[in-house]
Amino acid sequence: MARTRSHTSAPLRLRLAWVIAVGGCVACVVTPPSHAAFHHASTLSVDDESLTDRPISEIVFIGLHRINEQEIRNNTRVAIGQPFEAGSIKNDVSTLYRLGHFDSVTADAELLGDGTVRVRYVVVEQAIVQDIQVVGNKIVSDQELRSLIGLYPGGPRDDFLLERAIAKIKGLYRSKGNYLVEVKVDESRLEETGILIFRIVEGPRVRIREVIFSGNDAFTTNQLGAQIKTKPWVFVFSMGNLDEDQLIDDVAALDKFYKDRGFIDVRVDKRVEISPTGQEAKVVFVISEGRQYRLRSIAVESHDGVARDRPRVMHAEQLLGLMIIRPGDAFTQDKVMASTKSVEEAYQTMGYIDARVDPTWIRIGESPEVDMIVTVREAAPVTTGIVRIQGNSITRDNVIRRKLRLQPGRPLDGHEIDLAKTRLEASQLFGEVRITPQSPDPANPDAPRDVLVEVKERNTGSLNFGVGVGSDSGFFGQISLNQNNFDIADTPQTFSEFISGRAFRGAGQQFSIALSPGIDVSTYSVSFAEPNILETDYGLGTNAFYRNRVYTAFTEERIAGVFGLSRAFGDMWSGAVRMSLQGVTLTNFASNTPIEVYNDRGPAFINSFTLAFTRTNFDNMMRPTRGSRFEGELAYFGGMGGPYQFPLATASYTNFFPLSEDFFGRKSVLKTNISAGYIFNNSAPVSERFYLGGRSLRGFLFRAISPLSGMEIGADPPTPSSLTPTVNEQGEPNGQPIGGNWRFFAGAQYEIPLFDKFISIVAFTDSGTVTQNLSMSPYRVSVGTGLRIYIPQLGQAPLAFDFAVPVVKYATDQTQTFSFTAELPF
């Protein structure tokens, strides 16, 4: 007769087994005939006090068939010769059960005639799983389900793995929207035949149609909706799957959101309402907000509980001045954490890296107020010892030390450690960076502390292929070879070393070769940069390129070489001096080419000396959400001769403001930009003048914002009779753009995350003008909206698609509603 058993969890069966053992019901244990000789001794419970401290003379295992006895002995602690102790035997029973080989494990003891004890472990081995089958599954394949089951044919039954497999299968189905899925194990078939069958009732796919918040007065539905991941179904953008685990996480997220904002008494729960068809659901988050608490007072004390009435490193008044939160403010956790961080950073900057600041709070009676107590542990100042670097098998130590700025013998600046980690990560040379001050020496706690810098190098070289298209640049291909950890002095010793990529690496230099043939724009360039010449703060950069640019009425060919020296002044300011040598030729003139373009056809030798300076404090250089950037240039063209001599000045200021941030860190950011440029005489050729339009001022045609030529050529080469004046209906010049000496631009763009961090929408306004003289008239203004798609595999730059409409324009302006840029690597 087959034994019938319920699907009892492992811990429960373990407890039942101990009830049997402790109660002394050893008669229910069937003793094999081979152990019949044991019955002359008295059998006792392991908890019998008369056995305590008696020597153990024998240990036997009853019920072993498949399992090797030596394996079991290796997992028990009780040994022959030891004094009997009930606790040790119970621990062995627990250990044996956790092996997963046994359905039950019990233990008892026999008091022998010589006063010693024989310990018996009685086990029932798990059934062997002969085969594993799943039935009822249509949405998920057998192979995918089998990958979630930790059991295997030929192995023993393991109830823990069974329960985990059921949970994983349910989780997989719920992630696909089958919220009502049921998964059961056919226990009878497993007992009778050894075949493990998972019976699955998939149920209908449940989509969330509505998410509701009930009881929220302090925050809007949109504000709370940004804190949770459970979303209603939206075609393409949201699957709307109903996941019980996610609902629990969302309840916790809402609870934290409220408590972080001073609602200490908040209570949050959820309710799921399934439609009669079982295919749609409404999720209701029920919120009891309670009152928002405010901070009444702040007290500062030492970690030993003594009030800070005497100055130590900092006065209590200084500490309070560093805090962000103030008495009377809402008791929000973000301000409390910011205050704690501010105080700790102040200590760490002075070398007190072990300083800790712990805030606690106390309610004040029945009023919605709290008092905050800030406990400060100052510890002792720490001096920097040896800075050790590990993990850099390719990159030179000096490349890493440039970013550290930790000097042995100087105070160990804890804040500088965080900044150094940020600088090393921003170099893009390492995938992982850890900087760890070592623990103090117990024998000499005041000794300098060594600092361990651990880096994990990343692949800094790449060979890229791709295509790009833009409303300004047309269609083009891309082939580039880049090495961001180049070493021009690391020449290969063998050809295999060169092929394997072990040469020309490790000095932190940048080298790039880029080939970009296109229909409208073709560019071919080689560049090299050394950020620290001879281990100084000065950097060297060189670039040589050839560019062919097809415009509407002519083609520009430009070959150039640029040489520059730069220097960083701290973390924000940098300066550079550049020399540029260019050869510019204009060809392929059309009948409507402006005469000014033809007159500057060249070939022309254009040279310049430029002084540039930049200040940047972006929080993220690739995708900033906060901070500003100021750029200024003063250049003089023609210092080494040539047909053109003129000075030029440009300046731009860009600012990013995070206006809101949801619980998952997605920020809505306002970007503002103002830029201007001026050429101080009228001798600049059309190729070096200013233009706006296209992506630089959306809503207008590329380079259309510019003074226009009043005369066009009718043939090539032109003759006096072939020069044609062009006017509009009002008799004003209506020719082609020829560039201006003065450029001004002002714009603002607001970017809102739409789907995770990958898709955003933008609303913007662009404005500006280009004129021959310092004038703001005629001034253009456009407004529009657009889409940004961030795909990490395609690089940092997003795919950008914008629609813009001019709201202030000039009579001769050419408009363009849609503009875009997209680069797609293979």
Side-chain angles (χ1 to χ4, degrees):
M1 178 177 177
R3 180 167 58 96
T4 302
R5 79 187 206 186
S6 62
H7 198 61
T8 309
S9 65
L12 177 59
R13 289 206 305 276
L14 179 59
R15 289 194 296 270
L16 292 176
W18 271 114
V19 169
I20 294 173
V22 173
C25 294
V26 295
C28 61
V29 179
V30 179
T31 303
S34 59
H35 296 282
F38 295 163
H39 281 263
H40 71 277
S42 70
T43 303
L44 302 172
S45 166
V46 294
D47 286 326
D48 194 310
E49 294 183 357
S50 64
L51 300 175
T52 303
D53 292 334
R54 290 179 180 273
I56 298 174
S57 60
E58 191 175 357
I59 300 174
V60 296
F61 297 90
I62 301 174
L64 294 178
H65 302 291
R66 292 181 295 100
I67 311 302
N68 183 275
E69 183 174 321
Q70 187 58 47
E71 178 184 354
I72 304 306
R73 290 188 179 274
N74 291 340
N75 285 278
T76 56
R77 302 292 296 275
V78 176
I80 294 175
Q82 290 181 348
F84 185 91
E85 185 182 358
S88 298
I89 296 175
K90 293 178 180 180
N91 289 337
D92 282 348
V93 170
S94 299
T95 300
L96 293 177
Y97 197 87
R98 284 196 297 269
L99 293 177
H101 296 316
F102 306 112
D103 182 66
S104 67
V105 180
T106 60
D108 56 29
E110 294 177 327
L111 183 60
L112 303 180
D114 58 0
T116 62
V117 179
R118 176 188 293 126
V119 177
R120 302 195 318 164
Y121 294 95
V122 182
V123 300
V124 176
E125 294 181 344
Q126 290 279 22
I128 297 297
V129 177
Q130 303 295 336
D131 191 16
I132 300 176
Q133 299 176 6
V134 290
V135 296
N137 55 308
K138 298 179 182 178
I139 298 175
V140 183
S141 67
D142 287 2
Q143 292 77 8
E144 190 173 359
L145 291 175
R146 286 177 182 272
S147 67
L148 304 177
I149 302 171
L151 297 165
Y152 55 91
R157 167 182 176 146
D158 188 319
D159 290 310
F160 172 76
L161 294 180
L162 268 179
E163 294 291 347
R164 190 171 69 172
I166 292 173
K168 284 186 175 182
I169 293 173
K170 287 183 176 180
L172 176 62
Y173 271 97
R174 286 173 177 171
S175 69
K176 296 179 179 295
N178 293 69
Y179 178 72
L180 302 177
V181 62
E182 294 183 5
V183 181
K184 294 183 179 179
V185 171
D186 193 327
E187 290 284 353
S188 60
R189 291 291 298 275
L190 179 59
E191 293 293 335
E192 294 172 1
T193 65
I195 300 176
L196 175 59
I197 301 176
F198 290 89
R199 299 191 181 277
I200 301 173
V201 179
E202 295 178 329
R205 182 171 184 175
V206 182
R207 284 177 172 171
I208 301 173
R209 288 294 181 181
E210 191 176 12
V211 176
I212 296 176
F213 298 93
S214 175
N216 56 308
D217 295 322
F219 302 101
T220 66
T221 296
N222 289 337
Q223 288 176 306
L224 297 180
Q227 315 310 315
I228 63 174
K229 290 186 177 180
T230 298
K231 304 293 183 183
W233 178 82
V234 178
F235 179 70
V236 175
F237 295 107
S238 175
M239 300 297 292
N241 292 337
L242 191 57
D243 188 329
E244 184 68 27
D245 293 335
Q246 186 58 61
L247 289 174
I248 294 174
D249 291 343
D250 288 342
V251 168
L254 291 172
D255 183 81
K256 183 178 185 301
F257 175 79
Y258 269 93
K259 288 180 177 176
D260 284 351
R261 284 150 182 80
F263 291 83
I264 299 174
D265 300 325
V266 67
R267 290 182 296 170
V268 183
D269 202 353
K270 45 84 178 171
R271 183 175 71 248
V272 178
E273 300 176 2
I274 306 294
S275 68
T277 63
Q279 296 179 345
E280 295 181 350
K282 179 170 69 174
V283 177
V284 182
F285 290 97
V286 182
I287 302 170
S288 175
E289 294 180 331
R291 299 175 296 177
Q292 185 181 38
Y293 282 69
R294 294 193 172 275
L295 181 64
R296 189 182 73 166
S297 65
I298 305 176
V300 181
E301 63 180 27
S302 297
H303 70 284
D304 54 6
V306 179
R308 294 294 303 274
D309 53 355
R310 293 179 298 171
R312 296 184 182 178
V313 178
M314 285 190 285
H315 290 273
E317 291 78 7
Q318 291 174 301
L319 297 177
L320 294 174
L322 290 169
M323 293 184 182
I324 309 300
I325 194 168
R326 294 284 187 269
D329 291 348
F331 188 64
T332 60
Q333 290 301 306
D334 54 350
K335 284 189 175 182
V336 173
M337 293 175 63
S339 299
T340 301
K341 182 179 179 181
S342 177
V343 174
E344 286 186 346
E345 285 183 353
Y347 274 102
Q348 291 174 358
T349 300
M350 295 185 290
Y352 293 80
I353 65 170
D354 295 325
R356 295 293 180 267
V357 179
D358 298 314
T360 57
W361 54 272
I362 303 172
R363 297 193 193 203
I364 308 302
E366 296 298 325
S367 62
E369 293 180 314
V370 298
D371 287 342
M372 187 168 73
I373 301 174
V374 180
T375 305
V376 180
R377 180 184 184 275
E378 292 177 338
V382 178
T383 303
T384 307
I386 299 174
V387 180
R388 306 179 187 275
I389 300 174
Q390 293 182 358
N392 55 319
S393 60
I394 296 174
T395 308
R396 298 179 184 177
D397 276 12
N398 61 335
V399 175
I400 299 174
R401 292 186 187 277
R402 296 168 190 165
K403 309 291 185 182
L404 294 177
R405 303 177 189 172
L406 297 173
Q407 300 297 327
R410 301 293 299 276
L412 182 53
D413 187 341
H415 184 52
E416 177 58 34
I417 290 176
D418 295 335
L419 294 177
K421 182 176 184 294
T422 300
R423 285 192 293 267
L424 286 171
E425 291 173 340
S427 70
Q428 299 294 308
L429 302 182
F430 311 105
E432 183 178 340
V433 178
R434 287 188 296 180
I435 304 178
T436 310
Q438 300 303 287
S439 300
D441 183 359
N444 187 9
D446 296 329
R449 303 256 289 272
D450 293 346
V451 178
L452 178 62
V453 180
E454 299 172 280
V455 298
K456 184 176 181 181
E457 295 177 312
R458 64 188 303 176
N459 182 15
T460 56
S462 62
L463 177 62
N464 305 311
F465 301 88
V467 296
V469 62
S471 53
D472 294 352
S473 56
F475 184 85
F476 56 92
Q478 293 178 327
I479 304 174
S480 64
L481 174 64
N482 304 291
Q483 177 53 261
N484 294 326
N485 197 10
F486 189 69
D487 186 353
I488 197 172
D490 182 23
T491 56
Q493 301 300 315
T494 63
F495 182 73
S496 63
E497 185 176 303
F498 175 75
I499 293 298
S500 63
R502 297 195 301 271
F504 295 113
R505 295 179 65 189
Q509 301 164 353
Q510 290 87 42
F511 177 76
S512 175
I513 299 176
L515 309 177
S516 181
I519 296 176
D520 294 333
V521 183
S522 297
T523 305
Y524 308 92
S525 67
V526 178
S527 64
F528 170 81
E530 164 58 76
N532 298 89
I533 306 173
L534 301 176
E535 295 306 314
T536 67
D537 292 332
Y538 292 90
L540 165 69
T542 62
N543 181 30
F545 69 89
Y546 168 80
R547 184 174 68 216
N548 183 285
R549 180 63 157 105
V550 178
Y551 295 106
T552 303
F554 64 96
T555 298
E556 176 189 289
E557 293 185 7
R558 184 184 298 259
I559 183 169
V562 181
F563 177 86
L565 290 173
S566 62
R567 189 185 191 283
F569 301 94
D571 290 330
M572 292 187 290
W573 281 97
S574 64
V577 177
R578 294 191 297 269
M579 179 181 68
S580 173
L581 305 175
Q582 304 184 57
V584 180
T585 303
L586 309 182
T587 60
N588 299 330
F589 303 112
S591 60
N592 64 340
T593 301
I595 188 61
E596 292 87 350
V597 173
Y598 184 81
N599 290 339
D600 291 332
R601 62 190 179 278
F605 172 65
I606 302 175
N607 60 88
S608 65
F609 291 92
T610 302
L611 173 64
F613 43 93
T614 304
R615 182 189 183 277
T616 306
N617 65 341
F618 289 156
D619 58 347
N620 186 309
M621 295 301 296
M622 298 301 177
R623 193 173 175 181
T625 60
R626 184 189 300 274
S628 62
R629 181 180 179 88
F630 174 77
E631 298 177 275
E633 289 188 359
L634 296 173
Y636 186 80
F637 286 74
M640 291 183 289
Y644 307 106
Q645 289 86 32
F646 59 94
L648 177 147
T650 63
S652 68
Y653 181 72
T654 304
N655 217 333
F656 288 87
F657 305 92
L659 298 187
S660 64
E661 179 179 355
D662 63 23
F663 186 75
F664 303 105
R666 298 176 298 190
K667 298 179 180 179
S668 297
V669 179
L670 175 65
K671 171 188 175 183
T672 61
N673 176 252
I674 297 177
S675 63
Y678 186 65
I679 300 172
F680 288 86
N681 61 43
N682 293 321
S683 64
V686 293
S687 60
E688 309 305 315
R689 296 177 189 171
F690 297 120
Y691 302 84
L692 285 175
R695 297 297 298 169
S696 62
L697 202 162
R698 290 161 289 189
F700 296 88
L701 195 65
F702 176 58
R703 286 169 55 111
I705 307 302
S706 161
L708 304 178
S709 171
M711 196 72 70
E712 297 175 350
I713 63 173
D716 186 17
T719 63
S721 62
S722 66
L723 298 177
T724 306
T726 59
V727 296
N728 60 16
E729 296 179 355
Q730 289 74 34
E732 299 168 329
N734 191 22
Q736 295 293 317
I738 57 174
N741 294 330
W742 162 250
R743 171 183 58 82
F744 178 83
F745 174 85
Q749 178 173 289
Y750 184 48
E751 182 171 353
I752 305 171
L754 185 64
F755 179 71
D756 204 357
K757 295 183 179 180
F758 305 116
I759 301 179
S760 300
I761 57 173
V762 298
F764 59 85
T765 177
D766 289 350
S767 68
T769 187
V770 177
T771 62
Q772 290 291 4
N773 302 307
L774 282 169
S775 174
M776 301 299 285
S777 177
Y779 199 76
R780 285 86 168 180
V781 179
S782 67
V783 296
T785 185
L787 184 69
R788 300 290 181 269
I789 303 176
Y790 295 88
I791 304 177
Q793 294 81 358
L794 303 185
Q796 297 292 337
L799 307 183
F801 306 92
D802 292 324
F803 294 87
V805 177
V807 294
V808 178
K809 63 179 182 177
Y810 195 51
T812 56
D813 288 340
Q814 301 181 62
T815 61
Q816 176 179 279
T817 302
F818 178 60
S819 64
F820 65 96
T821 57
E823 296 185 11
L824 306 174
F826 295 147

